[in-house]
Amino acid sequence: MLPLTMTEPLMIGTRGWDHGAWAGGFYPPELPDDWRFSFYSNNLRSVLVPQRAWAAVQRVEVAQWADDSDPAFRFVHELPSVLCAPLTHARRDRELETFLDTIEPVAARSAGMLLRIAPDTSVFTDWFEHLLNRLAGIGPVCADLPPGAWRDEAMLAILDRQGAGLAWHCTRDDAPRPGGRLMVALAAPAGARDV
């Protein structure tokens, strides 16, 4: 294992905060469901907003997240699934603008974006490089790439050229791959107290 030099803050958080199983464990039993994010943000300092959230979340709800957390709290946004598959440049830009408009109320508190490529996605190097290039102009990006062709030398070189990190599956991979402006470590599901 290579020694790692920490030059940036380490953020600890979970993938989402609205987990019913946490009621009575992490969340006090009497805590109303709509207060969960506020409670969460006072106890953990960052969150990975899951991909599934973007199907239902409106900008007004994101503005409430800003109101319910302090300025030091950080968000990592897992990109909507539509942005994680090959699209035309025009459609990608439309979908990306919609997403950026939705997260605008917390944009100043965003630590970056996680791009998760599904294992059954065909490798399109040009699409991948153009997408990373577009995202890199917005903020730090970390890519969660499936094993196989998505992790060959050519794809890893694209990450390097675009300043993107590679997600570290800490229960599967021996060590994180150095590089990029953002690295997300993904672990097996656990309760918030375990994290």
Side-chain angles (χ1 to χ4, degrees):
M1 183 177 275
L2 298 172
L4 297 176
T5 303
M6 296 297 296
T7 58
E8 298 295 327
L10 179 65
M11 298 179 295
I12 297 175
T14 64
R15 188 170 186 252
W17 63 87
D18 194 14
H19 303 285
W22 293 1
F26 178 69
Y27 295 124
E30 68 280 355
L31 185 74
D33 291 356
D34 59 341
W35 290 10
R36 285 181 179 170
F37 176 72
S38 182
F39 184 91
Y40 176 98
S41 70
N42 282 309
N43 287 280
L44 293 167
R45 304 309 301 143
S46 64
V47 69
L48 174 61
V49 181
Q51 195 174 66
R52 70 182 185 288
W54 303 118
V57 169
Q58 301 295 315
R59 182 183 165 113
V60 67
E61 293 168 271
V62 176
Q64 189 63 51
W65 301 346
D67 290 344
D68 289 348
S69 60
D70 65 77
F73 187 83
R74 292 293 173 256
F75 296 87
V76 175
H77 306 287
E78 189 173 355
L79 290 169
S81 58
V82 70
L83 287 169
C84 299
L87 300 169
T88 64
H89 294 312
R91 180 153 183 231
R92 178 207 61 208
D93 288 344
R94 281 193 311 273
E95 295 290 346
L96 187 55
E97 289 308 315
T98 298
F99 173 70
L100 294 174
D101 183 63
T102 302
I103 68 167
E104 192 278 328
V106 294
R109 298 183 195 176
S110 295
M113 296 164 282
L114 177 62
L115 168 64
R116 294 189 98 164
I117 303 295
D120 60 346
T121 304
S122 297
V123 176
F124 291 101
T125 54
D126 289 344
W127 164 80
F128 186 61
E129 184 142 28
H130 284 109
L131 176 62
L132 285 179
N133 182 272
R134 179 73 169 91
L135 295 173
I138 297 164
V141 179
C142 183
D144 184 13
L145 303 178
W150 275 102
R151 287 182 177 236
D152 72 13
E153 288 304 314
M155 300 308 283
L156 297 178
I158 292 171
L159 291 178
D160 293 340
R161 281 195 299 275
Q162 299 302 328
L166 178 65
W168 175 37
H169 289 264
C170 55
T171 55
R172 180 185 77 199
D173 304 330
D174 290 338
R177 180 181 186 270
R181 296 172 34 212
L182 175 69
M183 194 272 293
V184 175
L186 301 167
R193 289 194 188 276
D194 293 334
V195 171

